[in-house]
Amino acid sequence: MRAAVNRCVRTAAALAVGAALVTGCGGRAEGPAAAFGGEAVGADLDAAGEAVGLSGGEKAGTPTYDGPAGEPSDGPPTAEERRRKDLMNRMAAYSVAWMPVLTKGAAAPAETERRFGAVLAALAERGWKEHKAVERTPLDEEGFVLMAAYKKRGWTLFAQHNEMGAVHVTSVMATEDACTARFTEEELKLLES
């Protein structure tokens, strides 16, 4: 159970870090691709959230990831933890993220799950094509995680909704495919761990 909560917290922290709007992997896009960069992706994410009554959080100017929030330190970070932090900062620089502003009196799990589906439907209306259907993974008896992936014009979007007791977190992160290709398979596995 604690591992599942830690994973939810780590995932939410990582997605919050990716809230910077970027325009690419350092090069200037030309032609039709130039019209669909980080700002256009961010606009899609914000519009999808607003369409279902959820407003996104503020976008950070310079993303950094310091580690999972709310976890006590067990001493200095290990080499693997430092490497994961560096990888998360690299990935954040190539990503656009959206996480709705949480309000007091959070909605019931059925309502937050419905809103997650509505956000996905609003993204589909904006031209995002389903790449991986919504998958539901139970987290012990306390909750579950919903995950889905969508694609649009050289970007891959990962949407996730976590229900863990009183914690309800919905987050969406889109990463430019050309940037993701710069990560090795081993680096991507480390990011997922």
Side-chain angles (χ1 to χ4, degrees):
M1 162 95 169
R2 179 162 165 70
V5 170
N6 288 343
R7 188 171 192 204
C8 288
V9 170
R10 187 170 54 239
T11 300
L15 290 171
V17 163
L21 295 179
V22 297
T23 57
C25 296
R28 279 242 186 255
E30 295 180 15
F36 195 72
E39 289 183 23
V41 171
D44 276 359
L45 300 183
D46 287 339
E50 289 172 9
V52 298
L54 298 172
S55 61
E58 291 185 27
K59 308 295 188 271
T62 306
T64 57
Y65 176 71
D66 292 324
E71 280 190 39
S73 175
D74 292 335
T78 65
E80 183 176 301
E81 290 168 337
R82 286 191 304 273
R83 185 154 186 245
R84 184 179 300 112
K85 176 184 171 187
D86 291 342
L87 288 171
M88 292 188 93
N89 284 327
R90 275 180 51 208
M91 182 65 81
Y94 303 136
S95 302
V96 176
W98 175 85
M99 186 178 291
V101 175
L102 300 176
T103 59
K104 290 184 178 179
E111 175 62 15
T112 58
E113 187 173 349
R114 184 200 63 76
R115 281 189 175 173
F116 178 72
V119 168
L120 297 180
L123 287 167
E125 287 176 11
R126 297 188 69 79
W128 289 88
K129 305 288 183 214
E130 185 179 88
H131 179 65
K132 183 179 176 192
V134 175
E135 180 180 310
R136 184 186 186 101
T137 305
L139 298 174
D140 299 326
E141 291 143 19
E142 295 288 322
F144 59 90
V145 176
L146 300 173
M147 293 183 282
Y150 285 70
K151 288 189 167 276
K152 181 178 177 181
R153 297 176 62 188
W155 288 75
T156 300
L157 178 146
F158 298 97
Q160 183 168 319
H161 176 73
N162 297 292
E163 293 277 345
M164 183 58 102
V167 177
H168 311 267
V169 179
T170 296
S171 54
V172 180
M173 183 173 81
T175 304
E176 196 171 2
D177 295 339
C179 302
T180 305
R182 295 180 176 188
F183 289 83
T184 67
E185 199 63 36
E186 181 216 350
E187 289 173 329
L188 292 173
K189 284 181 182 177
L190 183 59
L191 281 169
E192 292 174 2
S193 67

